Amino acid sequence: MTNRPATPQTNDIPTRPPRPTWIPVVTALLRRGDRVLLGQRPPGHSLAGQWEFPGGKIEKGESPETALARELREELGIEAEIGELRLAASHTYGETSILILFYDVRFWRGEVKTQHHTELRWTTPEELSALKIPDANRRILPRLMEVMQHAHRDPHPSSP
């Protein structure tokens, strides 16, 4: 008879709930004077009809800044200079969680146009609270408004 260590029974091992799936997302605080650009999500996409800051998912191997420049090229047709990270937050939609990074974008080349969104809109921080926006943004709205208003007092010029 050999002495083998006892194998634990599967019901003896404590189970941990599955870890959520995390998606890293970058967004632009694209400014024109005291206004920032929002895009309305198209039909057939998640959160259709809601107003969002331009941006999207970070692809494997991309830095956040590279991902945001790519997303702005794809969504708006512009070549953007990505500025400072202004705000980071997280939110959970069901089984999926997002880490969302908000970057300043003050300078870009090209005319902003709808290549992904149904409509584009320049809005003030005060107008933002009345719009239908994703829960991830609504939850941090006071912080977003503070960042947007602080940037308006910033002495740096905006893009035309």
Side-chain angles (χ1 to χ4, degrees):
M1 177 178 224
T2 51
N3 288 338
R4 283 198 238 158
T7 358
Q9 299 296 320
T10 52
N11 58 358
D12 293 342
I13 300 173
T15 57
R16 163 177 3 171
R19 292 181 187 251
T21 300
W22 281 90
I23 299 174
V25 175
V26 285
T27 59
L29 296 171
L30 210 76
R31 302 175 191 285
R32 179 177 281 169
D34 67 339
R35 298 176 180 268
V36 293
L37 186 69
L38 296 178
Q40 190 173 36
R41 292 188 58 84
H45 287 75
S46 63
L47 309 175
Q50 294 190 26
W51 291 92
E52 68 176 359
F53 294 93
K57 297 174 186 166
I58 300 172
E59 301 295 337
K60 187 175 181 179
E62 283 183 317
S63 70
E65 296 83 359
T66 301
L68 186 53
R70 174 186 50 76
E71 287 285 349
L72 295 177
R73 200 169 30 256
E74 292 172 3
E75 290 186 2
L76 304 174
I78 61 172
E79 293 296 324
E81 181 181 314
I82 309 305
E84 289 181 41
L85 174 64
R86 296 303 301 261
L87 180 63
S90 63
H91 187 74
T92 300
Y93 291 100
E95 296 297 314
T96 303
S97 295
I98 62 169
L99 172 65
I100 187 166
L101 307 172
F102 292 84
Y103 282 87
D104 263 335
V105 175
R106 295 178 180 277
F107 305 102
W108 63 89
R109 285 189 312 276
E111 189 63 33
V112 171
K113 54 189 171 288
T114 58
Q115 294 187 165
H116 168 72
H117 297 97
T118 304
E119 186 181 338
L120 297 174
R121 172 184 204 166
W122 293 96
T123 185
T124 64
E126 297 77 23
E127 294 167 337
L128 183 61
S129 63
L131 295 174
K132 187 175 180 184
I133 60 174
D135 289 342
N137 294 342
R138 174 86 45 209
R139 193 172 67 78
I140 59 167
L141 195 55
R143 291 172 59 204
L144 264 173
M145 290 179 68
E146 183 181 324
V147 166
M148 291 165 58
Q149 289 166 342
H150 173 71
H152 177 57
R153 293 190 301 267
D154 205 316
H156 299 293
S158 298
S159 294

